[in-house]
Amino acid sequence: MAFLLEGCYLSGSLRNPTPAHAPLYASLLYQANALGMGWENVDTESGAAFALHSSDATADATAIDCVLEGWSDAVDRPITENLAQAASGLMSVHGRASGGAQPLGVDYVSTLTAMLSLQGVMAAAIGRQRGASMRSTATSMTAAALLSVAQYLAGATAPDMPERLLPGGANVRERPPFVSADGVAFELETLDAGPWRAFWSHVGVDAASAGKGWNGFLLRYAKAIAPVPAALCDALATLPFEAIAQIASQTGVAICKVRTLQERAQDPDASTMWRNGPWRFQCDGDAAQATPIKPCAPNTSLPLAGLTVVESCRRIQGPLAGRLLSLLGAEVIRIEPPGGDPLRGMPPMAEDVSARFDALNRDKKILEIDIKSAAGKAEVMALIKHAEVFLHNWAPGKAAEMGLDYDDMKQVNPDLVYAYAGGWGETAEHDLPGTDFMAQAYSGVAAKIAAASGLPGGALFTVLDVLGGAVAAQGVTAALLARALGRARSIRVDSSLLGAASLLCAEDLGALLNPSGDKGVSMATEESHSAPTSLNGVYATAQGLLAIDCLDERAASRLARAVAEAEPAANESGGLNRERLQRILNRRKAQEWAALFETTGAPAAAIVEDLTEISHDPRLASALNKDAYIRVNSPWRFQ
């Protein structure tokens, strides 16, 4: 089967989206295309909606509608990629290690929103096939943005020793990526203190400095900062990259150059991954002999209610995938090692569990199983026999080694969706550890973020772990829809951090790999003259920072008019340029400017620097839950 959902199609105002929605729709169409879906343009009053149809004779013919909202309160006001990053705190998290709150420089929220909206509409279609009465779903750009920072929000608002990490609080020069004497920026990775100590000893750094650096380095996944002593950076800056590579090889530390997208496009697997999308599906068995997917109650409110997912995952990518499936209604049984996942006790705490861990694993049923033992393997297989999905992110080769691979499990349950959320995909021609920051460096994402942020490398915000988790969950949902439509029996779904990176840079890679543009990921906007203006950026005000994001001349005109009305005395002759705008913005607080601009439709948002203040924004209230810590609600609503 070349395309999993061939014959399904989307309809809606898919041509000529507004400039603010253009990246979102480009990603949506790219994802749909990669799954085999077509699209049909149907002019509607609002371009922020689409519907999913199936041509299968056995399928419920009712289309599932999806509404794409900007803000979580569904009120129509200006929204763009950067305004969503500003209001959600994403700019703040990125700014912890990049010198101050600033945009990521990639269409991250738009890509994630596209992924969640397509996943939501596919999940609703599964619900319909199972007997539910739901006909529509809705999600928003700010809900997607908040989901991306959920674990950081949990850490900042935990009741026990909350983290107060503000943008600009860490030195941008004393953190990875490192830079060699010959100017090569590179990421370094090890999950073990032994190789770390040996590497720095060979480099000539004293043990005390290396030990101090380990603490900051180890926690960078959780805190989005990685403060290391200057001695570490200085020592590497005296050595050529080849010498550093030799030391890394000798000591068991992995390093990866910060590569460009042009370099990534030259990799043998780049074109295939770009054309197929961030997943790989393998369908087996005779679909005619498949057990129909389990029906659900007609009045159920969540589309995957009654389905069981068995999860064996660590850290962020896999657990977030399980969390998203749980938010769609699935019962998620999480397998942890005897004694529980060590990250359960990682501060800051909320009652008796790590707030950050809870944000990724809430509402899952926990079973402690030694999966390496014969008894544990039998227990896993007993769970699999009655589950719809198995999801894991074990190290490459470990599943086969334990006798828990796809081929093993489909013997027990021939109707199983088997999902693997890995680092690189099966065709990787290297043995680099499949972690977020290595994948950013290898894929070209780090270079793209670096160019926008003035850094030597990527973000310490877990860009690919979060997006990779959403990719894995979406792949599972697509496979379940194929099962619900009777197209397949057992399905293996492979996804990776590298696939998530390709999705995030799909348009750039498309331009490099397919200059003729036959995949249709480039979309014209409403106005041929649409283009970001020179006024866009982050501005200081009398108190706080303000993000301005005018994506076309009309938005820039609304901004200029609003500024002139607010400060008539400052309405000097000549156009509004950055210097003049900065002088005027210094006269009021960011929140005052944001409120004033909102009334005129000028695209601006106060930047949330302190994550604890997010709950004060009424526009985001419906997306948040003030529990033991501030939790992020499901990004979907179903009706």
Side-chain angles (χ1 to χ4, degrees), residues 533 549-560 601-603:
T533 76
D549 204 20
C550 298
L551 298 184
D552 56 27
E553 293 174 4
R554 285 189 298 186
S557 296
R558 287 196 294 271
L559 174 71

Side-chain angles (χ1 to χ4, degrees), residues 40 129 149 239 271 422 465:
E40 178 183 80
Q129 287 299 111
V149 297
L239 298 173
S271 181
D465 268 333

Side-chain angles (χ1 to χ4, degrees), residues 241-276:
F241 182 72
E242 284 304 316
I244 296 170
Q246 289 181 12
I247 294 172
S249 177
Q250 293 167 4
T251 56
V253 164
I255 61 173
C256 179
K257 290 170 59 177
V258 175
R259 305 195 314 159
T260 64
L261 283 169
Q262 288 80 4
E263 289 175 293
R264 168 58 186 151
Q266 299 301 312
D267 292 340
D269 65 335
S271 181
T272 301
M273 186 170 281
W274 175 76
R275 289 190 176 280
N276 293 346

